[in-house]
């Protein structure tokens, strides 16, 4: 695939190839395409008359007009439902078509098609176009060796692609491309194997990334975490090949003091910021065997993706800094390996978390909630956030309930729920709201300790994880009170990776959550 993609303003286009979008049931060429059609000698209007032309979502038809351009493409946008999703898929299909054709530049026109769809948000569709061409260009080939697939014959001929976009859509399309680049960073990080991407690797990765984009970063190592009382993180990571870490990154916000204004790299300086940050928390278990509650071998084959929640938070912070968003944001990534070892934690161990809550371990494969408990309680007490959003591949139960088309969302605040669901609709990273009642919290209360980490009954299994985490999101870090900060727990176990190739993503990591989080921060009031 292309080594780089650039989004350019079409007013200076010099492309020899052009692409337009068409929705289903378009009986005549939209008026906005008439000038282009004349330039192409009527090739578009002739094509639209043909019964074999497909305008199904993602369909691409190549035309070779006698004048005006070397080639033209008609990209199908489907029936008009969820138009931005259709445009995102169209962008992904188009970049693959362009690469196969060896193109280094293509002009894309979708505004005339959108003008005929009353429910199409042109800004959302423009952003989706930028996202689609970048997401569709993703390949994870870092570890291919000498027996791998040979290079594509077009790779040297077209190492980079310029996509010219209509002027009125250009700004949003370019921003969408930036976010998608960060999502691809998440996909790369998620795809990196566990013998490379261990907790220590993630810490070093974040340090380097923070320097490059203007974030602050502190990595709390296992020794410091133990001194601080982070019993969940330390227990889960005790048997790992490398020790666990807690990664803290800060974006001070465009209107605030720059993160390096005084030459310091101290995330706790945000406490002095009069504008409380949004707190993003991610689970990054770099490999999960289940510990002594051992997973079957088939269930371990995708466990490098158990770090996808943390990887999505890392990607979101990358985009937030690149876009220089106004809101201050703090990110905490809790990272450990859950392996079997004589030092590993056991069933019936009792551990104490950062906030003093204790837990009797009833299942070592319910480990994600243990590392998140320390991250959430530390984040709430230290940074006093205005709201908390955590992402985690937490339960298989949410996959059974919702499949791979949406993530499960547990939100304790109506305004935060509305805000997140608006962001989900805009970005196409869909959510479904699930309940969390006091009865569910009672299900997690223990006999020998305050809590158990897994109920002996499987009913409401995805809610069990959320109920457990609810004990660690006290407002202003005062855990003696029941009042909680506005908080959303998003279980991405079904959306973090794909088992097969789809219209937008190849098999493997999707980077789900990056677009959602960036949009939520960007539109925060």
């Amino acid at each position: 695939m292309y080594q780089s993609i650039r989004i350019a303003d079409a007013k200076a286009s010099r492309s020899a190839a052009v692409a337009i979008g068409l929705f289903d049931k378009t009986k005549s060429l939209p008026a906005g395409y008439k000038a282009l059609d004349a330039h192409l000698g009527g090739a578009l209007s002739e094509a639209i008359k043909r019964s074999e032309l497909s305008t199904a979502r993602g369909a691409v038809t190549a035309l070779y007009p006698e004048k005006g351009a070397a080639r033209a493409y008609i990209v199908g946008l489907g029936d008009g439902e969820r138009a931005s999703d259709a445009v995102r898929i169209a962008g992904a299909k188009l970049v693959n078509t362009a690469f196969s054709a060896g193109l280094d530049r293509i002009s894309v026109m979708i505004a005339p098609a959108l003008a005929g769809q009353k429910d199409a948000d042109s800004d959302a569709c423009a952003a989706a176009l930028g996202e689609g061409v970048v997401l569709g260009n993703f390949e994870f080939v870092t570890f291919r060796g000498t027996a791998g697939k040979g290079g594509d014959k077009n790779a040297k001929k077209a190492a980079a692609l310029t996509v010219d976009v209509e002027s009125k859509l250009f700004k949003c399309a370019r921003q969408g491309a930036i976010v998608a680049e960060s999502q691809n960073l998440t996909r790369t990080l998620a795809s990196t194997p566990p013998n490379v991407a261990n907790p220590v690797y993630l810490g070093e990765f974040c340090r380097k990334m923070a320097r490059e984009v203007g974030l602050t970063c502190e990595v709390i190592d296992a020794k410091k975490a133990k001194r601080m009382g982070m019993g969940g993180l330390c227990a889960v990571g005790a048997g790992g090949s490398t020790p666990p870490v807690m990664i803290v990154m800060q974006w001070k916000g465009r209107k605030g003091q720059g993160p390096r204004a005084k030459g310091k790299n101290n995330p706790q300086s945000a406490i002095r910021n009069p504008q409380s940050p949004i707190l993003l928390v991610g689970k990054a278990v770099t490999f999960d065997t289940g510990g002594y509650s051992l997973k079957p071998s088939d269930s371990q084959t995708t466990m490098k993706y158990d770090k996808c929640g943390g990887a999505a938070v890392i990607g979101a912070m990358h985009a937030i800094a690149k876009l220089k968003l106004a809101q201050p944001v703090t990110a905490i990534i809790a990272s450990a390996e859950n392996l079997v070892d004589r030092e590993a934690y056991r069933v019936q161990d009792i551990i104490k978390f950062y906030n003093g809550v204790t837990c009797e371990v009833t299942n070592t494969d319910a480990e994600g909630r243990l590392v998140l408990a320390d991250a959430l309680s530390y984040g709430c007490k230290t940074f006093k956030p205005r709201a908390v959003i955590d992402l985690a591949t937490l339960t298989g139960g949410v996959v059974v309930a919702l499949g791979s088309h949406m993530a499960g969302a547990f939100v304790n605040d109506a305004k935060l729920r509305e805000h997140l669901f608006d962001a989900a609709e805009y970005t196409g990273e869909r959510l479904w709201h699930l309940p969390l009642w006091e009865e569910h919290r009672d299900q997690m209360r223990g006999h020998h300790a305050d809590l158990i980490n897994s109920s002996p009954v499987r009913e409401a299994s995805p809610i069990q994880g959320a109920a457990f985490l609810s004990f660690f999101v006290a407002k202003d870090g005062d855990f003696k009170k029941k009042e909680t900060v506005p908080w959303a727990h998003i279980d991405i176990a079904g959306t973090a990776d794909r088992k097969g190739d789809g219209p937008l993503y190849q098999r493997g990591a999707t980077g789900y959550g990056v677009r959602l989080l960036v949009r939520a921060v960007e539109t925060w009031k």
Side-chain angles (χ1 to χ4, degrees):
M1 298 303 290
Y2 293 104
Q3 295 174 19
S4 64
I5 291 181
R6 184 174 72 96
I7 305 295
D9 192 328
K11 66 183 179 182
S13 177
R14 301 185 303 277
S15 176
V18 63
I20 69 165
L22 287 179
F23 288 96
D24 285 347
K25 299 179 182 178
T26 303
K27 296 180 180 179
S28 61
L29 196 67
Y33 291 138
K34 294 295 178 65
L36 175 63
D37 187 41
H39 180 66
L40 298 177
L44 299 178
S45 54
E46 283 298 316
I48 205 171
K49 296 176 184 177
R50 296 182 177 274
S51 59
E52 66 268 25
L53 176 69
S54 174
T55 52
R57 184 179 287 195
V60 180
T61 301
L63 306 176
Y64 299 90
E66 295 182 359
K67 67 174 190 174
R71 68 193 65 182
Y73 297 101
I74 296 176
V75 185
L77 300 177
D79 61 8
E81 293 292 324
R82 303 187 64 82
S84 59
D85 286 350
V87 172
R88 192 176 294 109
I89 290 169
K93 295 293 185 183
L94 194 58
V95 75
N96 282 271
T97 300
F99 184 77
S100 296
L103 300 178
D104 61 8
R105 191 160 196 154
I106 187 168
S107 179
V108 182
M109 295 179 64
I110 59 169
L114 298 177
Q117 296 291 318
K118 62 179 181 179
D119 295 328
D121 182 327
S122 60
D123 285 351
C125 289
L129 177 61
E131 291 161 2
V133 295
V134 173
L135 294 174
N137 191 55
F138 178 79
E139 270 191 314
F140 184 69
V141 295
T142 307
F143 294 90
R144 283 190 184 163
T146 55
K149 295 178 181 179
D152 193 288
K153 65 180 181 180
N154 295 315
K156 292 183 180 179
K157 183 169 61 174
L161 177 69
T162 297
V163 180
D164 296 312
V165 179
E166 294 135 301
S167 296
K168 60 183 177 181
L169 304 181
F170 167 65
K171 183 179 178 180
C172 288
R174 184 173 61 178
Q175 181 168 317
I178 291 170
V179 175
E181 287 167 1
S182 299
Q183 187 171 343
N184 282 350
L185 178 148
T186 288
R187 296 167 80 184
T188 297
L189 198 57
S191 301
T192 302
N195 61 320
V196 176
N198 53 45
V200 172
Y201 174 94
L202 290 189
E204 291 304 315
F205 181 94
C206 288
R207 281 195 178 106
K208 182 175 183 293
M209 186 193 84
R211 289 193 297 268
E212 291 173 350
V213 299
L215 299 166
T216 65
C217 181
E218 181 189 24
V219 179
I220 299 172
D221 63 21
K223 290 181 180 179
K224 185 174 180 180
K226 185 176 182 179
R227 291 197 304 269
M228 294 171 68
M230 295 183 175
L233 180 74
C234 293
V236 174
S241 63
T242 58
V245 298
M246 188 81 76
I247 303 163
V248 184
M249 291 189 289
Q250 288 273 349
W251 169 249
K252 296 291 187 64
R254 187 175 63 236
K255 296 177 182 178
Q257 188 180 42
R260 290 186 268 181
K262 294 185 178 180
K264 294 182 179 180
N265 194 37
N266 178 14
Q268 299 211 24
S269 64
I271 298 171
R272 299 191 294 271
N273 191 329
Q275 192 178 20
S276 297
I278 301 163
L279 178 62
L280 307 180
V281 177
K283 169 194 170 186
V285 173
T286 57
F287 193 77
D288 180 19
T289 66
Y292 280 111
S293 303
L294 192 67
K295 292 179 183 291
S297 59
D298 287 351
S299 297
Q300 295 189 39
T301 56
T302 57
M303 280 301 105
K304 69 176 180 180
Y305 298 132
D306 212 19
K307 61 182 179 291
C308 283
V313 170
I314 292 169
M317 290 301 286
H318 182 269
I320 287 165
K322 294 272 283 187
L323 295 171
K324 302 188 185 309
L325 299 186
Q327 296 295 334
V329 184
T330 297
I332 301 179
I333 296 96
S335 184
E337 284 182 297
N338 189 24
L339 303 186
V340 178
D341 182 83
R342 67 177 184 174
E343 300 294 330
Y345 77 126
R346 297 149 294 222
V347 173
Q348 295 196 327
D349 281 0
I350 293 179
I351 57 180
K352 182 185 285 188
F353 298 101
Y354 178 82
N355 64 346
V357 170
T358 62
C359 171
E360 181 177 5
V361 177
T362 52
N363 187 338
T364 62
D365 195 22
E367 85 300 330
R369 63 201 66 179
L370 303 182
V371 301
L372 286 174
D374 281 325
L376 289 167
S377 55
Y378 170 72
C380 288
K381 184 175 182 180
T382 306
F383 301 104
K384 297 176 172 54
R386 69 182 68 185
V388 181
I389 306 168
D390 78 73
L391 264 71
T393 50
L394 206 68
T395 68
V398 82
V399 187
V400 175
L402 301 178
S404 61
H405 304 295
M406 65 198 76
F410 303 82
V411 193
N412 69 352
D413 180 87
K415 288 184 178 179
L416 177 60
R417 181 169 61 245
E418 182 181 6
H419 184 75
L420 284 175
F421 275 67
D422 285 346
E425 195 66 25
Y426 185 92
T427 60
E429 295 197 318
R430 303 172 79 178
L431 298 172
W432 190 261
H433 187 245
L434 293 169
L436 175 52
W437 299 342
E438 195 62 32
E439 289 87 344
H440 299 121
R441 284 166 54 87
D442 289 342
Q443 193 177 350
M444 306 311 295
R445 295 188 186 275
H447 178 62
H448 300 292
D450 298 334
L451 304 174
I452 54 175
N453 72 324
S454 182
S455 173
V457 295
R458 296 199 65 186
E459 63 181 30
S461 63
I463 307 177
Q464 288 184 30
F468 184 92
L469 295 179
S470 70
F471 289 92
F472 301 90
V473 286
K475 188 174 183 179
D476 296 332
D478 188 349
F479 294 96
K480 294 180 181 179
K481 298 180 181 178
K482 277 189 68 174
E483 187 179 8
T484 61
V485 69
W487 163 64
H489 163 59
I490 302 176
D491 192 335
I492 65 170
T495 56
D497 67 282
R498 287 283 182 271
K499 304 303 184 287
D501 293 345
L504 186 61
Y505 302 113
Q506 302 168 340
R507 183 179 64 181
T510 64
Y512 177 97
V514 174
R515 301 198 307 269
L516 174 67
L517 292 177
V518 172
R519 179 66 181 176
V521 170
E522 179 187 25
T523 55
W524 203 276
K525 296 179 181 178

